Amino acid sequence: MSVLLEHNIIEWEAAMAVRSGNENHASTSRSASEVELQAEAQRLRTRLKPVVDQHNLYLEDVEVKVAGSHRTVHVVVDLPEESTGSVGFDVISAISTDLSTAMDSLEDDDRPYNLEVSSPGVSRPLTEPRHWRRNVGRMVEVKPVTGDVILGRLQEVSDTGIRLIPQLPVKKGMKPKQGEPLALEFSKIRKGTVQVEFAHLEDEHHDDSDGADPEISGAVHHA
């Protein structure tokens, strides 16, 4: 009886060891794949940035995703931080063609890909000083590291933080009230997002000749 029990324990330990080894191997493979994709994205950033600069735009991000043999390169471009408005669809279309040409000219990479180009849109989290500067004058929601969420009009942005006019909570149907200007350091901010306002959306549509919504404007190229 004891021999049989000992034999079962040994088999169980062996099975667990194999399972653990398989899980470790899968985890290592995922990590290696993620590192490879990040390295490829960085290489493409270096190659594509001059093209974006030629269009007087800012290269916000390059992301590479792979599903089987299918590879998608997602490029996000934005206006310079001193500019107002959003990237119009006509601009997205023009730069997509040039970015596709630049990628086709890569001598060390002939794999097929789908190129997606878009602008960030108002739903983008505000994670860098330039993101905040691009949205001066807008209503923003700020989640501090500690304390309650703050809703207010972004007034100015420095290298170390922001200054906003808080919107005080009022009863439904009452006119919004503003509080005293409030300064917050970036180190004290956990998350920031722009709040959509109809008036600002209308302004953006006037800024773009084609009326493209900055949230969804984009172009896809296949190669």
Side-chain angles (χ1 to χ4, degrees):
M1 184 70 175
S2 59
V3 174
L4 180 60
L5 179 59
E6 182 178 351
H7 177 71
N8 289 339
I9 292 176
I10 293 175
E11 285 188 340
W12 178 82
E13 291 177 343
M16 292 301 295
V18 170
R19 178 180 177 182
S20 177
N22 290 338
E23 290 177 349
N24 290 337
H25 177 71
S27 177
T28 302
S29 298
R30 283 196 301 271
S31 299
S33 177
E34 290 172 357
V35 170
E36 182 179 349
L37 290 179
Q38 290 174 0
E40 182 179 0
Q42 184 57 49
R43 179 174 62 88
L44 289 174
R45 284 190 189 97
T46 302
R47 183 59 180 265
L48 300 179
K49 186 179 184 302
V51 179
V52 176
D53 291 343
Q54 289 174 3
H55 285 261
N56 297 318
L57 296 174
Y58 179 85
L59 181 57
E60 184 74 38
D61 191 25
V62 175
E63 183 181 18
V64 181
K65 293 183 178 180
V66 175
S69 60
H70 183 76
R71 184 171 63 130
T72 299
V73 178
H74 185 199
V75 179
V76 182
V77 297
D78 196 7
L79 293 175
E81 65 180 54
E82 66 274 9
S83 301
T84 58
S86 58
V87 185
F89 188 81
D90 55 338
V91 177
I92 291 289
S93 181
I95 194 174
S96 295
T97 300
D98 292 346
L99 289 173
S100 181
T101 300
M103 290 192 61
D104 290 342
S105 66
L106 293 174
E107 298 177 355
D108 57 340
D109 193 347
D110 58 356
R111 292 173 297 171
Y113 66 90
N114 284 346
L115 174 63
E116 298 178 351
V117 184
S118 66
S119 59
V122 295
S123 63
R124 169 189 57 188
L126 306 175
T127 58
E128 300 178 15
R130 69 172 305 275
H131 296 163
W132 293 93
R133 292 191 183 99
R134 286 277 289 118
N135 289 284
V136 169
R138 289 182 178 276
M139 189 68 70
V140 296
E141 182 182 85
V142 181
K143 294 183 179 180
V145 175
T146 58
D148 298 329
V149 173
I150 304 168
L151 180 66
R153 182 81 56 193
L154 184 58
Q155 193 175 36
E156 61 181 73
V157 181
S158 68
D159 293 336
T160 58
I162 65 171
R163 181 184 178 90
L164 55 78
I165 306 295
Q167 181 170 297
L168 303 178
V170 295
K171 293 182 179 180
K172 186 175 180 180
M174 294 182 63
K175 185 178 180 179
K177 294 183 179 180
Q178 295 182 338
E180 294 296 321
L182 176 65
L184 290 170
E185 296 181 2
F186 288 127
S187 60
K188 305 296 184 181
I189 298 175
R190 179 163 58 90
K191 183 180 180 182
T193 52
V194 174
Q195 301 300 292
V196 177
E197 298 178 89
F198 291 110
H200 283 276
L201 283 178
E202 292 173 358
D203 292 341
E204 284 182 349
H205 285 310
H206 287 305
D207 289 337
D208 299 333
S209 59
D210 58 357
D213 191 326
E215 179 86 28
I216 60 175
S217 61
V220 178
H221 283 237
H222 304 278

